[in-house]
Amino acid sequence: MLVSKGGAFIRLGEGITFGASGDLTFNGSAFRFEKPATMKAEVPEFAAAALVPEELCKLESDFALQQLTGVARRCSEGEFIIFAAPVFGFDVPAPVYVSLYEALRDGRIPNARIVVVQGGVYPGAFDTVKREIVVHQGAACKAAKDAEAAWELLTVLLHEFGHHIDSVIREDLASSEVEEASPLKTDAEGDEGAKLAYALAFFDFENSVDTEFAQLVSQDYSGPLRVNYKDARNYIKLSQDDEAQRKEGKSGDLELFGASGEHVKQRPLESFGHEQIEQGLIAADKFVFDRDTRLHIYFGNWLRDYSQILDPKIIRPPGMPKDLTRYISRDTLTKVVDVLAEEKFVFEAASKKEFAVTKENLGVYRAVEHIDNPTNFDTNPRDNRAVYADFEPPPSATYLSIDAGSSMKHYIAASRDYMTAQINKAVGSGKTAEGCRHFGAGLHVLEDYFAHSNFVELSLRKLGYSKVLPWTSKTTCKYGYPVVTGMFDSEDVIASVAALFAEPMLVFEPRKPGERTKGERILLILLADHSDQTWLAGYETMLNLRDKVAAMPGGVYLQAILFYALTPVHLISFVRNCFVHLIGNSVDDAQVYGKGDPNINGSTDPSHSQLAKDHDDHPFHTLAASLAKTAVTQVGKAMAESWKGAAGADPAALAAAYLVHPYDCNWQDETVKTWAQTHQENVKRGESVTAFEALHVKHEAAVRQRFREVEKRAQEAEAYFRKYALSISGEKAQVKP
């Protein structure tokens, strides 16, 4: 949403209402409101003319241009095409990339002008008409004082420079090279800004530590802006990841820094996940919960999310033959999750041990660790302990029933006990890697309570919003409508497995001999679990050949050619198809959807997808996140006191006090009341079954689309490099001048 200040705009959270005039300080900038106003929830169109330049703040940087020029000057033509095509698009003919290559080497590519503005999208955007990088004043000024803000600003400059180069390619260089039968698209598919920032993060030509990336002139500071480039590269890798690359945010003539769709890193006021909610620990005690400690806590939380991949429906029982179309081994999936954890958490070799994923700390999917409803409509459910003893036994009727006194499902009490046990282990272990991991596991349950139960819906009904769907039928208990959670269904299993394809496998990254990308490591692990080991042997042969090329002088770039040549599309498609068959063979939708709409049919067993508020397009997403963050902050304060040695601090008991029926507590009432008054449209959406059915269809389609995108990207890459094989592998392309 936008707030106006003298014709300038700033984007705030969805549906915020200002009931009186006054001042607001946001992200380092002050804004004055002359009259009350209610802001609309949807993202409006930005007009570039509405952005007011800040005359007292100037920012200059040619860092992005120098980085891209450095790539061109160290590459041959063919190597540069290999680098550029996945970033800016396979619709751009290879000769156009050659023109860009030559212009960069000759110093003929203009830098993008940087304009610091008072308002606009925080932290920055690119004006496609004026070809200007628009940087919010708050983002520029904070970069002089705070290391993380400097990483963010550097990322903005690299990201928006990517949009600038895309304009140069499509509007300036392509005019004489494009074939009429194959017209260029008006914009690269996905977010070329995120792709370029991510790609350039791997090119540290000077092997620098203290890197100057811009010059700032402001009222408070004038001089160079610097970063520790190693830390900045880690920030870029996390913030410009696959999701940021796949989704592009646009508004009018502005290309935004990050997507307008669901992405927590680029929509901090509207989109939340476990990692963002745990930022509430900063408010609890910023000294106890420093950045490193929060990372270790989130690791414990993250492990619980990824344990869901190890679902009994797809785990191969011991002794069964290998068959990737039906089963996958527990050891294989644990190794895959370990690769994902290393990419996300490990920035130095010394930290690998602290973030290693093992069978013991990952575990398997257990409903109790997520407050999921373990109900199974199968009349003869199997005992999953026959697959692995770590799985839960079939639940008893009592375990699935409602406790009349608390008006809650009995299994929620079991999740509460698991949560308190983990928090008590954290207390006993102290502020150590192990203690942090246990605390994160406990917080996962606490946060899931607000996202995966109907606590929010019942809280709204408690305050008079009686048309909000409770997602349970009325039953015999103290409050009529009980607190329930959803059942983990086929969509959720597919979403978990889709995490294996979260990063594209056909993105080149320069590696030393023997080094493997995330995608390559995952493929090697999966192929090792295939019944036909010739697939693994063949792929290893391809990688070994590339290693030999990488060891040659200049091979860091020459290996790029072999990367695409030796990663055939049928290999990617083969693995993808294995997983499609696996899902189809192992999951039965009827187990979950056999009972229809629990609002009207007498059931107290909704599905997970009917209740879950994880997605930021759910009408109650921000309210659930706000309540969860409050709970995390309060429990965090108690944990901080405990780790300091304070007598009487009991974070486990405090956390348990939050897992009650909303009619038995009132801490949330004022927050819910204020939110509902400023989000009346969201409340209305919460009254419609049709709206939730549409969300379900949308989310399921999005998950399945991720599988299709992997195959599509592989096919495009293969077709492109075959078409322009001569440009890529010809003598001129291979020999560096």
Side-chain angles (χ1 to χ4, degrees):
M1 95 181 234
L2 297 182
V3 175
S4 176
K5 182 202 179 212
F9 293 95
I10 183 167
R11 185 175 181 210
L12 296 177
E14 180 180 286
I16 295 176
T17 295
F18 292 89
S21 60
D23 296 317
L24 169 70
T25 300
F26 179 74
N27 282 325
S29 296
F31 298 88
R32 176 73 183 172
F33 300 94
E34 303 300 337
K35 59 182 180 179
T38 299
M39 308 305 170
K40 293 184 178 179
E42 65 271 11
V43 179
E45 293 295 308
F46 293 89
L51 304 177
V52 179
E54 174 51 67
E55 299 297 337
L56 299 179
C57 187
K58 304 292 183 184
L59 182 69
E60 295 182 353
S61 174
D62 65 354
F63 183 80
L65 177 59
Q66 293 303 320
Q67 288 292 97
L68 187 58
T69 299
V71 173
R73 289 179 176 169
R74 289 167 171 82
C75 286
S76 68
E77 285 183 4
E79 294 159 5
F80 187 79
I81 296 170
I82 292 285
F83 169 86
V87 173
F88 297 105
F90 295 116
D91 60 318
V92 178
V96 177
Y97 288 128
V98 173
S99 297
L100 175 63
Y101 167 80
E102 293 173 344
L104 284 166
R105 289 169 64 92
D106 295 341
R108 292 184 283 109
I109 294 297
N111 196 18
R113 180 170 177 259
I114 301 172
V115 179
V116 179
V117 295
Q118 296 175 3
V121 181
Y122 187 93
F126 180 72
D127 188 325
T128 58
V129 174
K130 295 182 178 180
R131 290 196 190 177
E132 293 177 344
I133 295 176
V134 180
V135 175
H136 191 283
Q137 177 190 9
C141 293
K142 284 172 61 180
K145 305 174 184 177
D146 178 75
E148 190 163 348
W151 305 339
E152 179 183 56
L153 180 59
L154 171 59
T155 306
V156 170
L157 296 177
L158 292 173
H159 180 115
E160 306 309 340
F161 183 77
H163 296 312
H164 167 66
I165 293 297
D166 191 58
S167 295
V168 170
I169 290 171
R170 296 173 185 279
E171 298 173 19
D172 301 341
L173 300 178
S175 57
S176 61
E177 303 287 356
V178 176
E179 304 166 13
E180 291 186 6
S182 304
L184 281 184
K185 299 175 183 177
T186 57
D187 187 19
E189 185 173 342
D191 194 322
E192 68 277 4
K195 292 177 184 177
L196 182 64
Y198 190 90
L200 288 179
F202 290 95
F203 292 91
D204 184 10
F205 298 125
E206 309 303 328
N207 195 27
S208 55
V209 176
D210 184 42
T211 300
E212 179 181 326
F213 69 93
Q215 285 281 335
L216 175 67
V217 176
S218 69
Q219 289 179 299
D220 299 324
Y221 173 82
S222 294
L225 296 179
R226 298 178 179 275
V227 292
N228 178 305
Y229 197 56
K230 180 181 179 181
D231 292 337
R233 290 169 68 198
N234 291 332
Y235 180 90
I236 293 168
K237 286 174 62 179
L238 292 174
S239 65
Q240 305 296 286
D241 60 6
D242 175 62
E243 189 171 5
Q245 294 174 31
R246 289 189 300 111
K247 297 180 179 181
E248 180 173 31
K250 277 192 170 184
S251 189
D253 298 325
L254 293 186
E255 297 201 60
L256 310 182
F257 177 65
S260 59
E262 180 179 279
H263 196 296
V264 293
K265 301 181 187 71
Q266 283 106 2
R267 297 182 61 187
L269 295 174
E270 300 171 35
S271 187
F272 301 89
H274 286 290
E275 188 171 10
Q276 285 64 45
I277 289 170
E278 286 185 6
Q279 296 303 307
L281 293 173
I282 299 174
D285 192 316
K286 65 180 180 180
F287 299 107
V288 171
F289 299 113
D290 54 42
R291 187 168 179 267
D292 184 65
T293 301
R294 296 199 312 274
L295 190 68
H296 281 82
I297 292 171
Y298 179 57
F299 177 59
N301 198 323
W302 184 92
L303 283 170
R304 303 284 42 83
D305 263 336
Y306 276 81
S307 68
Q308 295 176 136
I309 295 176
L310 285 79
D311 190 278
K313 301 179 185 69
I314 64 174
I315 292 291
R316 185 174 75 239
M320 292 288 289
K322 294 180 178 180
D323 183 359
L324 272 184
T325 65
R326 187 161 191 86
Y327 300 113
I328 190 165
S329 77
R330 179 180 179 180
D331 286 342
T332 292
L333 287 175
T334 300
K335 290 176 182 177
V336 169
V337 176
D338 187 50
V339 172
L340 300 176
E342 183 175 335
E343 289 286 329
K344 184 169 184 63
F345 294 99
V346 178
F347 303 135
E348 298 177 1
S351 65
K352 175 67 178 88
K353 184 177 180 180
E354 294 179 356
F355 295 109
V357 176
T358 65
K359 289 172 64 175
E360 290 71 29
N361 64 24
L362 177 62
V364 296
Y365 171 69
R366 293 170 55 83
V368 70
E369 297 176 3
H370 312 274
I371 329 185
D372 289 337
N373 183 342
T375 297
N376 190 326
F377 294 138
D378 192 332
T379 56
N380 187 27
R382 72 174 183 177
D383 188 339
N384 292 317
R385 291 175 296 179
V387 180
Y388 272 102
D390 292 344
F391 285 118
E392 295 168 307
S396 67
T398 300
Y399 190 72
L400 299 174
S401 67
I402 296 166
D403 179 87
S406 66
S407 294
M408 300 175 73
K409 288 273 192 174
H410 278 105
Y411 61 78
I412 296 178
S415 290
R416 179 199 61 209
D417 293 342
Y418 166 80
M419 174 188 69
T420 56
Q422 290 295 312
I423 294 177
N424 281 327
K425 287 180 180 179
V427 170
S429 299
K431 188 183 170 182
T432 62
E434 181 181 4
C436 289
R437 177 167 56 80
H438 285 304
F439 190 33
L443 290 181
H444 181 88
V445 176
L446 179 62
E447 295 157 17
D448 273 357
Y449 183 62
F450 302 103
H452 297 167
S453 78
N454 60 345
F455 181 92
V456 166
E457 287 85 349
L458 295 181
S459 292
L460 284 163
R461 292 175 65 90
K462 172 185 176 183
L463 296 180
Y465 298 97
S466 59
K467 293 183 179 180
V468 169
L469 299 174
W471 292 105
T472 178
S473 294
K474 202 167 187 178
T475 189
T476 304
C477 63
K478 182 178 180 180
Y479 297 119
Y481 290 101
V483 172
V484 299
T485 64
M487 295 171 289
F488 204 65
D489 59 26
S490 64
E491 177 189 337
D492 305 304
V493 176
I494 294 171
S496 297
V497 176
L500 306 182
F501 292 93
E503 303 273 350
M505 294 184 183
L506 278 176
V507 174
F508 170 68
E509 299 172 8
R511 298 277 168 159
K512 297 177 182 178
E515 289 184 337
R516 301 290 180 250
T517 66
K518 180 199 300 185
E520 290 164 355
R521 293 169 67 189
I522 290 176
L523 274 178
L524 287 168
I525 293 169
L526 295 176
L527 291 175
D529 203 25
H530 191 266
S531 57
D532 185 353
Q533 289 297 285
T534 59
W535 285 94
L536 176 62
Y539 191 48
E540 287 178 332
T541 298
M542 296 176 186
L543 294 176
N544 290 336
L545 177 58
R546 196 189 72 194
D547 286 342
K548 293 178 181 179
V549 173
M552 297 166 54
V556 172
Y557 296 97
L558 289 171
Q559 64 175 301
I561 296 167
L562 286 178
F563 175 80
Y564 286 100
L566 299 181
T567 308
V569 65
H570 66 265
L571 177 62
I572 304 295
S573 299
F574 166 76
V575 175
R576 169 193 173 274
N577 288 334
C578 283
F579 276 89
V580 170
H581 285 296
L582 181 150
I583 294 298
N585 289 336
S586 305
V587 178
D588 182 5
D589 281 327
Q591 291 182 358
V592 168
Y593 291 110
K595 290 206 172 183
D597 181 3
N599 294 293
I600 58 175
N601 63 6
S603 172
T604 58
D605 297 311
S607 72
H608 176 79
S609 59
Q610 287 172 328
L611 263 187
K613 302 162 189 67
D614 304 281
H615 296 283
D616 61 20
D617 54 3
H618 189 286
F620 302 147
H621 171 80
T622 56
L623 176 56
S626 177
L627 297 178
K629 194 168 185 178
T630 297
V632 166
T633 299
Q634 296 306 313
V635 174
K637 289 179 180 179
M639 180 60 76
E641 291 301 307
S642 175
W643 280 349
K644 291 176 183 178
D650 193 347
L654 180 58
Y658 283 102
L659 269 64
V660 298
H661 196 286
Y663 280 66
D664 281 334
C665 59
N666 56 24
W667 65 270
Q668 80 281 8
D669 289 351
E670 191 60 35
T671 299
V672 174
K673 178 182 177 181
T674 302
W675 184 92
Q677 290 172 344
T678 57
H679 292 76
Q680 296 180 26
E681 185 177 331
N682 294 58
V683 174
K684 192 69 176 177
R685 287 175 58 204
E687 302 171 358
S688 169
V689 173
T690 304
F692 286 97
E693 289 175 346
L695 283 178
H696 171 75
V697 171
K698 173 186 174 182
H699 295 156
E700 185 171 16
V703 167
R704 296 179 186 274
Q705 177 64 20
R706 299 185 76 172
F707 286 97
R708 291 192 289 269
E709 286 175 354
V710 173
E711 184 173 25
K712 177 177 178 288
R713 186 171 177 80
Q715 291 171 337
E716 287 179 344
E718 183 184 47
Y720 187 88
F721 293 117
R722 282 180 177 175
K723 179 177 180 179
Y724 294 110
L726 184 60
S727 297
I728 295 169
S729 58
E731 181 178 355
K732 183 179 179 183
Q734 291 296 312
V735 180
K736 295 181 71 175

